Amino acid sequence: MFGMKQITFITGNQGKADYLAKYLGYPVEYIKVDLDEIQSLELREIVRHKVRQAYETVQGPVLVEDVSLEFIALGRLPGTFIKWFVDEVPFETMCRMLDGMDRSAVARCMFGYYDGKTEVYFEGHLDGKIAEHPAGENGFGWDKIFIPEGYDVTRAELDAENDKKTYTQIKPFAELKTFLESL
């Protein structure tokens, strides 16, 4: 419950809902809704499509998120397609893709809110690089191959304090919380 308005976070991932609740400081109602995934390298286009489709399904205020991991040497790829890379390509293979190339990368996350009238987006990002080899047991998705700028280990190897520090750069929780509390 945010103020008087109930908002539903659209995710099938209990961990994502728990993380969101932890950073917002209050429980988050969430449901899994199968949304069409449009093909685009533009994170905002994807989030806009998802948040509007989720609103049509839920018929109430919704919050969605999506992420992108761009390998600089590959333009904006895998970018928004990273979830399919994680499902289909071993992490070691992703690391090998950049052998002899610039290993720089940018992790992005965007939240979208829509209530039928108000549509708002919040984007965070963190520069870093792709590891020589996957490492670590913590985190989500591609954390085993992403080394945040200023660190020499992957996000999956970070201690709790540095995990939170880097996660809140990728995920714009502070801006989102301020907005939700203003409703």
Side-chain angles (χ1 to χ4, degrees):
M1 220 40 146
F2 311 104
M4 295 302 290
K5 198 177 266 198
Q6 183 157 344
I7 298 167
T8 304
F9 181 43
I10 307 301
T11 182
N13 185 326
Q14 170 81 48
K16 277 188 179 182
D18 291 346
Y19 249 81
L20 181 60
K22 176 179 164 185
Y23 287 104
L24 292 179
Y26 39 80
V28 173
E29 179 180 323
Y30 76 97
I31 59 170
K32 179 177 175 146
V33 175
D34 287 323
L35 300 172
D36 296 331
E37 290 276 348
I38 64 168
Q39 293 183 23
S40 174
L41 287 173
E42 297 298 329
L43 188 56
R44 182 181 286 261
E45 259 183 58
I46 292 168
V47 172
R48 183 174 192 271
H49 179 81
K50 283 173 72 170
V51 78
R52 288 182 165 256
Q53 188 180 22
Y55 176 80
E56 291 301 317
T57 302
V58 174
Q59 291 294 304
V62 291
L63 183 67
V64 301
E65 81 166 308
D66 211 323
V67 297
S68 167
L69 182 62
E70 301 166 7
F71 296 3
I72 301 306
L74 302 179
R76 292 185 291 163
L77 292 172
T80 56
F81 300 103
I82 189 63
K83 66 181 120 264
W84 287 286
F85 272 66
V86 168
D87 287 346
E88 297 292 326
V89 180
F91 287 125
E92 184 66 35
T93 302
M94 282 190 248
C95 293
R96 297 289 58 79
M97 288 170 61
L98 296 174
D99 284 354
M101 302 168 82
D102 181 357
R103 301 189 84 79
S104 299
V106 180
R108 299 183 193 282
C109 174
M110 183 176 286
F111 285 101
Y113 167 87
Y114 186 56
D115 63 9
K117 293 181 183 145
T118 302
E119 185 174 328
V120 186
Y121 300 94
F122 307 90
E123 182 176 357
H125 77 277
L126 180 61
D127 294 332
K129 64 183 179 183
I130 302 303
E132 292 285 335
H133 301 281
E137 297 304 319
N138 301 318
F140 298 104
W142 36 264
D143 285 345
K144 291 176 190 254
I145 63 168
F146 183 72
I147 299 172
E149 190 172 69
Y151 294 85
D152 58 4
V153 296
T154 67
R155 277 212 11 88
E157 296 176 286
L158 294 176
D159 61 29
E161 179 184 336
N162 286 307
D163 172 68
K164 181 177 181 178
K165 186 175 173 185
T166 59
Y167 204 64
T168 55
Q169 286 181 267
I170 298 169
K171 300 208 176 231
F173 291 127
E175 297 91 340
L176 177 63
K177 182 176 183 176
T178 299
F179 169 74
L180 293 175
E181 288 174 348
S182 75
L183 295 176

